[in-house]
Amino acid sequence: MTDETLKSIDKATTELLEKAKKDEIGTVFSRAEQIKPCPVGLEESCCKICAMGPCRLPRTKKALQKERVGVCGATIDTIVARNFARRVAAGVASHSDHAREVAETFIKTARGESQGFSIKDEIKLMEVALDFGVEIENKEVKEIALDLGGRVLEEFGRQNGELRYVRKAPLKRQEIWKKFGVIPRGIDREVVEIMHRTHMGVDQDYHHILLQTTRCALADGWGGSMISTDLQDIMFGTPVPVLGSINLGVLKDDEVNVIVHGHEPLLPELLVVASKDPEIKALTEKVNAKGVNLAGMCCSANEVLMRHGIPCAGNFLQQELALVTGAVELMTVDVQCEMQGLQSVAECFHTRLITTSDRAKIEGATHIEFHPEHGFDTAKKILKLAIENYPNRRHEVYIPEYSQDIVAGFSHETINYLLGGLFRASYRPLNDNIINGRIRGVAGVVGCNNVRTIHDSGHITMIKELVKNDVLVLTTGCAAMACGKAGLLVPEAASKYAGSGLAEVCETVGIPPVLHMGSCVDNSRILIAATAMVKEGGLGDDIGDLPVAGAAPEWMSEKALAIGQYFVASGVYTVFGTTWPTMGSDRVTEHLFEEYEDMFKGMWAFEPDPVEGAKLMVSHIEKKRKALGIDKSRERVLFDMAMRRAIE
Ligand code: NFS
């Protein structure tokens, strides 16, 4: 017998797990009990890239390094590096294919060919246009957008040269990348090259494979993800702080519940508008429902929360449990992080699962493809299906009574404004407070949930430890949602959880000690925030000099590896929890964990215990403070008039 209450620190989750167990509904939690991870795969000591294998080369007490070679002679180092490279490439491909979809919709919008979309943030359009070298003088908004869209699409298929956004990085950083030859050319090219180089009998030097892995990852952080964030901001508005609510308690017993799950905010944006349409409202009344209750799941939730305050139903491990409430009429899914198990849970209830992307179908689910040309009609069609389904509820509805207030929407632009004011927006107050030691440093804690750990526990334990140590935390993705549920994303959290220095700064500015910066592609906002800290001055001249660190304590997806790799390559010390996928090779692990520090000033670390992970991050931050000469705590002296005159 297993105790469901031990599987998550979130009560809504454990209550529904108990219900699922009672009703004999399988979820990711129950399946994880049946399937134990393969120990050989766990350390990536298995090669199956040709049909002479698979070659299983586990680390055993007896096996010597020289004996651990595949049939073709590939060493364990080559095998582990190749596996790692392919996983990073899959992550990069996912983020950049998301970006491509957004870019194509952006172009159709500029041409007036999309339905329901517009250019909302013209200031950001101008900024990004300038980044891409678009001439903006005496040109119409649509003309600028069209020019920009064309240039953005070139980023994917470019064969030579450099990605445009690379130039946004600090100059020192660009020099490091140049030195190691890792500046990405075109996004697709870097992914394709990994697939080629890791084919049987091609690149067989782990250092060399990992350099291409780095180049590919940079094409995500300073390419695909940054493109997604910027174009989404232009089309849907750059986020500003917004009050929302989170957890499964946001579902409503007497309303038509529609959950948008996935990653691309295109259709979700239109569902937000369509849910307010008079025709939809009238139909809702007809079925005696009080309204349409739109809620988000996973990164789509972050997108619509940040821009519209739409409630968040939950994060990755809660997706099936949302359906176990019996209250969900319809769930849309597009791409990424959507478990196939959703369909079998949906079949236990009246819930309709709708796949919407031409790239992703789920057997048994209804496919209603989204195309921007008639996007709004599709959004309405989907809502009508949901409304029609409301009278079909056939089980008793059980909605856990947990939901929590949450403030989200801390884009780079907003942080700049909140710290510096409208007319002198700047990161100066942040840098000053880091220099005077009230804030020790900044940490990005991001990423997934993983059923092999206690749901949400890694995130919350690590983040509480960091803020207690006066480290300001920036968060995105499922980590951000965990924080929301635990009450860390409200300004009051500062006095409750933060050390005295950080609390003082947060209270003065009126911000929480943990800032929700968006979805997983919005990790690019963290890169821009770090760059802004460098450019503000006083903390060195490269991201690698800053007292900052990153972490993904509950990671599980290949995208998380891509993100980690681009953070490391951008100069950030990055700690991952759960498992580490190069454990099969000491040399590969040493290369990424130690030698990368000399090369990129950023390196990986693995620590499954979140408190220990936080300690590693704090000690890295202290190491950087020392190197900057700001490690001595400064006496705070109250100046009297005589002292002031002496300065003048
Ligand atoms: Ni990102 Fe992980 Fe998925 Fe979003 Fe959540 S699981 S890597 S946080 S929803 S992408």
Side-chain angles (χ1 to χ4, degrees), residues 618-636:
V618 171
S619 70
H620 178 80
I621 285 171
E622 291 304 331
K623 183 169 100 181
K624 292 293 171 184
R625 294 185 64 85
K626 195 163 179 201
L628 289 165
I630 54 169
D631 53 324
K632 312 268 175 315
S633 63
R634 294 191 189 170
E635 275 291 302
R636 289 178 66 199

Side-chain angles (χ1 to χ4, degrees), residues 263 298-299 316 336-337 447-449 477-479 520 556-557 559-560 563:
H263 284 78
C298 282
C299 276
F316 177 69
Q336 302 166 24
C337 305
C448 332
N449 290 141
C478 289
C520 240
M556 62 86 204
S557 84
K559 288 177 289 176
I563 295 163

